[in-house]
């Protein structure tokens, strides 16, 4: 069962293909070895690990993978419901209850993307700095603050901005899909 709108089908292609490819291939290239190359002064394994865990409570790759899975859930529930009820694609836009359930699943995607956007800002910000000042007081070191070098900080900043952009595009597509459905239901657009 495909999404019932052209925008929904484009969203599935965009979301399913481009975004996952970008995260899987380029995300691994940019973030795959971050912990190994994260180094602090003094450059000792325990300090590096302690500070890296402080710097990254969750790795961006894991966060974005969770975001993708969570945002896919509302659509998956709708498609499971449609499969169980033997709902045809053309019926989704003709029967009010199916349309309402589908719009609700799209609206839920919007909410989940906005929450993920906010969490990403809280966790990662908009820029990755070259130097991270780490509080090593818990390690009972002579110095409470140590400097750490963040590898490939410029590439990571570009990647962050790209992931923000994907989220914004996804939200715009979801809003456009709700608008398209509303126009079809009101008779402004012909049903496919």
């Amino acid at each position: 069962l495909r999404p019932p709108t052209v925008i929904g089908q484009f969203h599935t292609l965009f979301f399913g293909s481009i975004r996952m490819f970008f995260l899987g291939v380029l995300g691994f290239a940019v973030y795959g070895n971050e912990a190994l190359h994260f180094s602090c002064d003094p450059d000792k394994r325990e300090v590096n690990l302690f500070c890296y865990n402080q710097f990254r409570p969750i790795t961006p790759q894991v966060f974005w993978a969770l975001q993708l899975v969570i945002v896919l859930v509302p659509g998956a529930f709708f498609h499971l419901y449609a499969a169980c009820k033997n709902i045809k694609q053309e019926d989704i836009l003709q029967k009010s209850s199916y349309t309402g359930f589908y719009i609700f699943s799209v609206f839920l995607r919007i909410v989940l993307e906005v929450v993920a956007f906010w969490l990403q800002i809280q966790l990662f910000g908009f820029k990755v700095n070259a130097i991270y000042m780490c509080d090593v007081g818990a390690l009972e070191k002579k110095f409470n603050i140590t400097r750490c070098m963040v590898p490939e900080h410029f590439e990571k900043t570009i990647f962050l901005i790209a992931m923000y952009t994907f989220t914004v595009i996804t939200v715009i597509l979801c809003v456009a899909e709700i608008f398209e459905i509303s126009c079809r239901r009101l008779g402004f657009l012909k049903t496919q």
Side-chain angles (χ1 to χ4, degrees), residues 35 38-42 44-57 132-137 139 141 143-150:
F38 189 86
S39 62
C40 300
D41 182 30
K44 294 184 179 174
R45 181 169 165 69
E46 83 178 60
V47 174
N48 290 346
L49 286 174
F50 180 83
C51 289
Y52 181 74
N53 287 333
Q54 195 179 104
F55 175 66
R56 291 270 189 239
Y132 175 71
M133 301 307 283
C134 177
D135 181 0
V136 290
L139 290 176
K141 298 292 176 187
F143 308 106
N144 283 343
I145 304 292
T146 188
R147 291 168 39 107
C148 300
M149 300 294 293
V150 179

Side-chain angles (χ1 to χ4, degrees), residues 8-32:
Q9 292 167 17
F10 179 75
H11 173 263
T12 301
L13 172 70
F14 175 80
F15 188 85
S17 304
I18 299 169
R19 197 173 181 181
M20 286 185 187
F21 173 80
F22 193 83
L23 177 59
V25 175
L26 295 178
F28 181 75
V30 173
Y31 287 97

Side-chain angles (χ1 to χ4, degrees), residues 3-5 7-9 11-12 71 73-76 78-79 92-93 98-114 170-181:
T5 64
I7 295 172
Q9 292 167 17
H11 173 263
T12 301
V71 171
V73 168
F78 177 80
H79 289 296
I92 295 171
L93 295 180
Y98 298 157
T99 305
F101 188 26
Y102 185 77
I103 287 174
F104 177 73
S105 74
V106 175
F107 180 74
L108 196 53
R109 271 189 286 177
I110 294 169
V111 169
L112 292 170
E113 286 283 11
V114 169
T170 300
V171 169
I172 290 169
L173 288 173
C174 288
V175 169
E177 185 173 15
I178 290 173
F179 182 74
E180 180 184 351
I181 291 169

